[in-house]
Amino acid sequence: MTQHDPRELRNAFGTFMTGVTVVTAKGSDGAPMGFTANSFTSVSLDPPLVLVCLANTSRNFTAFTQADGFAVNILSETQRDVSNTFARPAEDRFANVDWHEGPNGGPVIDGASAWFDCSMYKTVDAGDHVILIGHVEAFEASPAPALGYARGAYVTPAAELAALEQNLDMIVSVLIERAGRVLVIDDGGALALPQTRVGKAGVSDAVTRLIADVGITAEPGFIYAVYEDTDRNCQHITFQCVAGEGQPRNSHFAALTDDCVARFVDPASRQMLRRFREESQVGNFGVYYGNQQTGQVRTLSAGR
């Protein structure tokens, strides 16, 4: 049997980004109990089933496995303190948390992105954990963005984007690709990517306007580069997009030859386009973080 280092295996599992939940139930005495878990999964639509995993060593093990049901509360980005409360030993974890009883009797935490109040469908022993499978009796979802977790840290993408959008000294550009070529603005000498300063309407509006201005259809993709431009004292963010139909206005698609890249006046754009040219050959893209001169690339997807 292959032996694995438990810490290394845990770290490897932790690279998978998940949401954060608090699983709750009522004990035999009617008192609420709960624990923080990211091992939550939807199982089935018909019948509606979900599951969570609970360690055999948990002090809640007996109470949860014998309970008639449980509730899964998907925490919102503003509820990191709730997650921490239910992840640490405490005499009364519910003392400083607003909650109410769900339709099936499970404790439902106020302000969650969503909750599922379940009856117990089945428990399954699985190594050093038990799998609690619940039949969803009632649920509710809200527009609040959910709290994420990866590599031992919380992830709050919606809050981070909102913070970026508050920065009025932000420039957004689009790297629009079609058949290996990139859309460029050509003033007869120097080249540039379509770009604009972010207004009060935010980043998404700026990207939409950029695409509309060049007169083609394109879908905004992932963020390709984020960097501080200390020369212009602003934040720069570039979105990678794939072009659809249409002929561009006041711009054209160009192959990223050395001569073409050299015509970009901005050194950061030249560096980014050289990287894009290399990554496009293998389909192995990443996100650049840093400033206009130095930074690091974090891989997003690997080529097949």
Side-chain angles (χ1 to χ4, degrees):
M1 179 175 172
T2 303
Q3 295 296 316
H4 301 287
D5 181 273
R7 172 54 60 181
E8 290 184 1
L9 183 59
R10 184 185 184 92
N11 291 342
F13 286 154
T15 62
F16 181 64
M17 186 179 297
T18 69
V20 182
T21 74
V22 168
V23 184
T24 59
K26 291 283 189 69
S28 57
D29 59 355
M33 55 185 176
F35 62 94
T36 299
N38 63 350
S39 56
F40 164 73
T41 304
S42 59
V43 177
S44 170
L45 289 174
D46 186 15
L49 302 176
V50 298
L51 70 77
V52 292
C53 297
L54 175 65
N56 296 344
T57 55
S58 170
R59 66 176 186 173
N60 295 311
F61 180 85
T62 300
F64 266 92
T65 54
Q66 294 180 358
D68 293 330
F70 59 88
V72 179
N73 300 270
I74 299 178
L75 300 186
S76 69
E77 286 191 350
T78 61
Q79 293 182 309
R80 281 185 288 184
D81 58 333
V82 177
S83 172
N84 290 333
T85 295
F86 283 85
R88 298 166 181 165
E91 191 65 31
D92 183 0
R93 289 172 168 170
F94 288 83
N96 298 312
V97 175
D98 293 327
W99 65 281
H100 63 277
E101 189 173 289
N104 196 56
V108 172
I109 296 175
D110 296 345
S113 288
W115 55 262
F116 304 89
D117 198 3
C118 309
S119 59
M120 188 69 77
Y121 183 80
K122 183 183 295 186
T123 62
V124 180
D125 291 331
D128 56 10
H129 280 63
V130 62
I131 301 172
L132 308 177
I133 303 177
H135 185 284
V136 179
E137 304 293 347
F139 70 95
E140 186 175 287
S142 78
L147 180 64
Y149 195 77
R151 296 185 183 273
Y154 292 116
V155 182
T156 55
E160 291 163 7
L161 180 58
L164 286 175
E165 292 182 344
Q166 294 301 313
N167 182 356
L168 297 182
D169 292 325
M170 172 176 283
I171 294 175
V172 170
S173 62
V174 287
L175 201 167
I176 304 176
E177 183 265 341
R178 177 191 283 170
R181 294 171 174 258
V182 171
L183 188 72
V184 299
I185 307 296
D186 190 346
D187 65 1
L191 300 179
L193 295 175
Q195 65 177 27
T196 188
R197 193 169 293 274
V198 175
K200 293 183 178 180
V203 172
S204 297
D205 176 77
V207 173
T208 300
R209 286 189 289 106
L210 277 176
I211 294 174
D213 287 346
V214 297
I216 62 173
T217 61
E219 289 295 327
F222 59 79
I223 296 174
Y224 191 67
V226 179
Y227 59 91
E228 298 285 344
D229 191 332
T230 54
D231 291 338
R232 291 189 285 180
N233 192 31
C234 67
Q235 182 90 4
H236 198 119
I237 181 170
T238 301
F239 285 82
Q240 182 180 347
C241 310
V242 177
E245 300 298 324
Q247 293 299 317
R249 294 190 297 262
N250 304 316
S251 56
H252 66 273
F253 286 95
L256 293 179
T257 62
D258 289 341
D259 289 341
C260 173
V261 173
R263 290 177 60 190
F264 281 78
V265 176
D266 178 28
S269 293
R270 293 198 298 267
Q271 180 180 354
M272 179 174 62
L273 291 172
R274 292 190 188 100
R275 175 169 68 90
F276 181 77
R277 181 175 60 187
E278 295 173 359
E279 291 178 342
S280 296
Q281 294 176 355
V282 293
N284 188 12
F285 297 102
V287 180
Y288 173 86
Y289 294 87
N291 58 37
Q292 78 276 23
Q293 295 178 334
T294 61
Q296 58 178 308
V297 177
R298 301 179 185 176
T299 301
L300 279 183
S301 59
R304 298 182 179 182

